[in-house]
Amino acid sequence: MNILSPSILAADFCRLGEQIKEVEAGGADHLHFDVMDGLFVPSISFGMPVLSSIRRNTELFLDVHLMIEKPERYIEEFARCGADLINFHIESTEDVEGTIQKIRNLGKKVGITVKPATPAEAVEPYLDLVDMILVMTVEPGFGGQKLLPHCLEKVSAIRKMADVRRCSLDIEVDGGIDRDNILHAIQAGANVIVAGSAVFRGNVSDNVKALLERMREKTVCS
Ligand code: DX5
Ligand code: ZN
């Protein structure tokens, strides 16, 4: 199933509650939550208190993307604050398997994430252990960047690996996705699409509807 996961990194934080309602009105059912620590990536975003507030105010599926060093330190807290799925970067920890297990033990869905320079083969040992692979299509750290086309080749390579193993994996893409390139990402094999600027610049619910419409076009054609 194809899913749209709007990234609140691009939201107007003074109007966050209202904008989340607009995301719901547009028909999306996931929300992407980017956590940055100023170490793994240069910028700092937001963390647990914001996640808890959102959790109290929405039923949307909360897809948390940790861009932090040693994410294993904070898994319990993000789970407690309401994450439904926790994505962490395989480049950010020496204990990928232990971190996957920690998330599973808390009853949450697990995703592992790769930066643009990390090859597809790096995720191969974990394909049977996770629910999702998140393929970054920009360098993590900032919204509003342009999609790096070579990352979509990696999406195709990972989709092939998963198909060979008959593994029904979600593949998420994140960064620089808009109405023009969203179908390229789906065609490459992604089924969960993050969009920040393409959702929150302009009318939020109209943008969500337009992106969902584009995603359906592909579903009808295929
Ligand atoms: C970047 C974040 C993205 C970002 C996407 O590090 O992981 O989720 O918000 O924003 P856009 O869609 O504007 O590239
Ligand atoms: Zn993200």
Side-chain angles (χ1 to χ4, degrees):
M1 196 179 68
N2 291 337
I3 292 166
L4 180 69
S5 192
S7 165
I8 61 157
L9 191 62
D12 171 354
F13 296 114
C14 286
R15 300 184 48 236
L16 186 57
E18 285 164 52
Q19 290 198 327
I20 291 173
K21 294 294 160 217
E22 289 171 42
V23 164
E24 292 171 353
D29 41 26
H30 282 216
L31 204 61
H32 185 84
F33 188 88
D34 287 305
V35 182
M36 304 180 186
D37 66 351
L39 287 169
F40 182 71
V41 289
S43 193
I44 297 177
S45 58
F46 37 70
M48 295 85 166
V50 180
L51 184 63
S52 301
S53 296
I54 293 176
R55 179 73 297 164
R56 284 194 294 274
N57 286 283
T58 185
E59 296 292 312
L60 291 172
F61 180 94
L62 299 179
D63 154 20
V64 172
H65 174 194
L66 298 179
M67 287 166 273
I68 66 178
E69 289 290 351
K70 298 191 177 31
E72 59 271 27
R73 296 172 298 156
Y74 291 106
I75 299 302
E76 283 88 353
E77 278 202 74
F78 281 103
R80 189 172 46 79
C81 292
D84 292 301
L85 176 146
I86 300 179
N87 269 302
F88 67 94
H89 277 260
I90 64 171
E91 307 90 352
S92 67
T93 177
E94 283 166 12
D95 187 12
V96 175
E97 272 199 58
T99 307
I100 291 172
Q101 210 43 59
K102 215 167 189 172
I103 300 171
R104 279 247 177 275
N105 291 345
L106 290 159
K108 303 298 174 184
K109 290 200 159 188
V110 189
I112 53 173
T113 308
V114 282
K115 290 193 198 185
T118 303
E121 295 68 40
V123 302
E124 200 163 12
Y126 311 110
L127 289 181
D128 297 320
L129 305 178
V130 299
D131 301 292
M132 171 184 279
I133 308 287
L134 167 50
V135 177
M136 291 306 299
T137 40
V138 297
E139 278 306 327
F142 301 96
Q145 304 179 67
K146 262 184 101 59
L147 177 138
L148 301 165
H150 77 269
C151 297
L152 294 184
E153 290 162 26
K154 183 158 51 181
V155 169
S156 303
I158 296 172
R159 178 56 76 201
K160 271 198 200 107
M161 284 178 196
D163 286 349
V164 166
R165 292 160 176 257
R166 294 174 199 277
C167 176
S168 70
L169 193 70
D170 283 325
I171 302 185
E172 183 171 50
V173 285
D174 183 7
I177 304 285
D178 57 27
R179 289 182 206 188
D180 295 326
N181 60 23
I182 192 165
L183 290 183
H184 299 154
I186 292 176
Q187 219 128 32
N191 69 309
V192 184
I193 310 290
V194 176
S197 322
V199 166
F200 289 96
R201 272 194 206 142
N203 183 299
V204 175
S205 60
D206 286 352
N207 287 337
V208 167
K209 282 181 197 151
L211 289 165
L212 287 171
E213 195 54 47
R214 289 288 276 163
M215 290 165 78
R216 273 183 223 116
E217 277 173 36
K218 163 67 184 141
T219 318
V220 169
C221 300
S222 59

